[in-house]
Amino acid sequence: MYGDDATIRRILTELGDTWAVVGLSANERRAAYGVSRVLQRFGKRIVPVHPKAETVHGERGYASLADIPFDVDVVDVFVNSELAGPVADEAVAKGARAVWFQLGVVDPAAYERIRTAGLEMVMDRCPAIEIPRLG
């Protein structure tokens, strides 16, 4: 398992409330759209990151993590597993404190690189499922 309950709790409650959501667009049918709404309901500031740089849920979007002109705490990754590793590396370069790979996003080599870089990381889990479990 890539991310135990203690790590999940730390990311969701201690590491900061600004979440860059990579893969978030205005497409309401995509999982990122609904999950980011849940994150907002639980007090997180979401920052859409998508090539279209659309405004989503009232938050301005950016084409890449590097384009965001402020710090982000957590990078939540909704891209295909083949693309997730480079996004995780960008999160390290951006200075994020944690990386979260969504359900179905799996890259064990990226997980090891991110942990070695000193960031918290969860893989193949969903914060919209985990937040309510915190109680």
Side-chain angles (χ1 to χ4, degrees), residues 1-2 5 7-9 14 20 23 27 36 43 48 53 55 59 69 73 78 85 98 103 112 116 118 124:
M1 166 124 16
Y2 295 97
D5 286 344
T7 300
I8 289 169
R9 179 175 295 278
E14 298 174 22
N27 184 344
S36 61
T55 295
E59 294 287 349
D73 301 308
F78 277 92
L103 288 173
E112 293 305 322
T116 299
D124 196 24

Side-chain angles (χ1 to χ4, degrees), residues 37-116:
R37 176 65 86 195
V38 171
L39 289 169
Q40 280 185 320
R41 277 201 307 266
F42 281 90
K44 308 299 181 192
R45 175 186 184 190
I46 57 111
V47 182
V49 179
H50 189 279
K52 294 180 181 177
E54 298 172 299
T55 295
V56 183
H57 303 314
E59 294 287 349
R60 177 181 171 195
Y62 297 89
S64 71
L65 288 173
D67 290 342
I68 300 171
F70 49 84
D71 292 339
V72 297
D73 301 308
V74 181
V75 175
D76 191 3
V77 181
F78 277 92
V79 300
N80 293 334
S81 295
E82 301 79 46
L83 304 173
V87 172
D89 296 332
E90 290 171 26
V92 173
K94 178 69 182 162
R97 301 172 76 191
V99 176
W100 191 300
F101 280 8
Q102 282 294 323
L103 288 173
V105 180
V106 177
D107 182 337
Y111 181 89
E112 293 305 322
R113 283 196 314 276
I114 300 316
R115 295 297 295 134
T116 299

